[in-house]
Amino acid sequence: MITKETARQIYNAWQQLEAIDETEADMKKEIERIRKEAEKELTKPIPESQWYGSYGSGMQLGLPTSGCASMRIFNISPEIGIKIMDEQRAALQERLMKLEGIARLELNTSDL
C-alpha cells in the first residue's frame, strides 16, 4: 500500500503542474488578446506597462522565510516568470519519476 506521505507528495506535485499549465495558458491568451488589439490600432504606440495586459505590471514571487512571515519580489517580467515556471515543471516531473519508484516499492513490499 502506498503511504499517505507518498500520496500527498504525488498529489502536491500534480497540483503544482496543473497550476503552472493554467498560468501559462492564461498568459498566452492575454498576450494574444493584446496583440489583436495592437493590430487594430497600428497607429498608436502600445505602452510597455500594458503589453501583457493583466501581466503588464509584472509577476510576484513569494519566498518563504523563517517564522510566519514571507517575502515577495514584485514586478518580475513575464519572460522570467515563464522561465521559472518551465524550470519548476522540469523539477516536478523529475520528482514525480522518483515518487513513482517509491510508490512501486511501497506497493511491492505491501504484498509480502
Side-chain angles (χ1 to χ4, degrees):
M1 187 163 158
I2 298 173
T3 64
K4 186 188 294 186
E5 179 61 21
T6 302
R8 183 189 64 77
Q9 289 182 29
I10 291 169
Y11 173 81
N12 287 342
W14 277 109
Q15 191 174 34
Q16 287 182 48
L17 284 169
E18 288 174 359
I20 289 170
D21 291 341
E22 287 174 14
T23 303
E24 283 188 342
D26 185 48
M27 289 177 75
K28 288 176 185 175
K29 285 180 190 174
E30 189 68 14
I31 291 168
E32 288 174 14
R33 184 185 69 79
I34 296 298
R35 286 182 178 165
K36 285 180 183 176
E37 285 180 12
E39 287 176 7
K40 292 177 186 175
E41 300 179 10
L42 290 174
T43 59
K44 297 180 181 178
I46 303 170
E48 178 131 354
S49 63
Q50 294 180 5
W51 176 245
Y52 289 102
S54 60
Y55 295 96
S57 59
M59 300 174 78
Q60 296 179 25
L61 178 63
L63 303 170
T65 59
S66 60
C68 61
S70 66
M71 184 177 123
R72 292 210 179 272
I73 299 173
F74 297 96
N75 297 324
I76 295 173
S77 72
E79 294 88 356
I80 293 173
I82 289 172
K83 287 179 185 178
I84 291 169
M85 288 187 283
D86 288 343
E87 288 295 321
Q88 180 67 0
R89 178 185 290 112
L92 288 168
Q93 289 170 338
E94 183 178 328
R95 179 71 182 140
L96 280 170
M97 288 185 355
K98 291 177 184 177
L99 287 168
E100 179 184 6
I102 292 169
R104 287 178 189 268
L105 286 172
E106 290 174 352
L107 286 171
N108 288 336
T109 58
S110 66
D111 292 337
L112 300 176

